[in-house]
Amino acid sequence: MKKDRRKFLQLSSLGLGSMILNPFSGKASGKILQKPIVVSTWDAGIRANMAAWEILQQNGRALDAVEKGVMVTEAERNCCVGLGANPDRDGKVTLDACIMDENFNCGSVVFLERIKHPIHIARLVMEKTPHVMLAGEGAQQFAVSQGIPLEKQELSKEAKKEYEEWLKKTEYKPVINIENKQITAPGKLSDGSFNHDTIGMIAMDAAGNLSGSCTTSGMGFKMRGRIGDSPIIGAGLYVDNEIGAAVATGQGEDIIRVAGAHSTVNYMQQGFSPEEACKKVLEKLLKIKGSKAKDIQAAVIAISKTGEVGAYALQKGFIYAVCDANGKNRLINANFLI
Ligand code: ASP
């Protein structure tokens, strides 16, 4: 799948802050950013960060920032996330999302159809129901009961073309491709293909509180009913306000196996820096996948309570967007294992 990505990137080095001691371990850690901070996955994150930043710079809550931020991506009709995304094998777009705040409150929707902003429904599940997760028709009914309109069940022009191509072979290959886009120079992103369909965002607000969000159409041409890691608290997203926050992207089945986001936060609790924590989770994944790991991509981004940001990927080609306290928003190539 090839898509042109807009190139209004503001790149610069992550040379902010300084080395400090990690309060959990006493070990030296990496770069500390001043709060507020927002970090998100892939290059669409750059636009999502801008919306989140609008809220954060006005002393808004991280929870509002991560919701409004990823809504930008959900609304991009020709993007990888939301109703404009690739459908399942039956030609229907089904969406998954979750959100988590600084008090362990969380909400999630899975297998949701005809809703423009699944992340908003996830937040409504969190705030208006005694539950954490709603699925399919029930989730849609709940959305409608909250006054959310149902959108038409129609594919974006781009997705329709992709689907028609796919129908020619109907080959079922549930793998997340390895993106080969990279930042080649300040402000420049190479051409390349991708097959990921997710945005994950984590933020720390001016008060020092953390929140996270994750929203996806899942894998293109997936089996009907398939759910990945993205809407699963602990797999796709986890926030512990005393320790840090993490969000994952890539092959959902494998991220679930290692409880990707929670494991990352757990490693931060043990004193690992965000980058080391992300790396350790992917090392585990590599270990369990063995030689099959080369066929998949998985990546995690994390923020520690001290304001340190890090990421790691299984393969080359994962980029993430970081916006710091000065509103400097840039894409960064993540380090990788293979
Ligand atoms: N993690 C998502 C899923 O498995 C896909 C992605 O991150 O692109 O559904």
Side-chain angles (χ1 to χ4, degrees), residues 42 96 176 195-198 216 218-219 226 228-230 248-253 255:
W42 306 107
D96 308 323
I176 298 286
N195 187 30
H196 64 82
D197 298 280
T198 300
T216 189
M219 287 172 182
R226 179 265 182 192
D229 62 309
S230 304
T249 182
Q251 181 82 14
E253 283 72 4
I255 295 165

Side-chain angles (χ1 to χ4, degrees), residues 16-30:
L16 287 167
S18 56
M19 299 279 278
I20 67 155
L21 288 183
N22 181 327
F24 301 110
S25 65
K27 288 180 197 164
S29 60

Side-chain angles (χ1 to χ4, degrees), residues 52 86 117 134 146-147 157 163 188 195 207 244 251 261 304 323 333:
N86 278 342
H117 289 299
L134 288 181
Q146 297 298 307
K157 227 169 85 193
Y163 183 56
K188 278 216 153 84
N195 187 30
Q251 181 82 14
S304 70
C323 185
N333 291 324

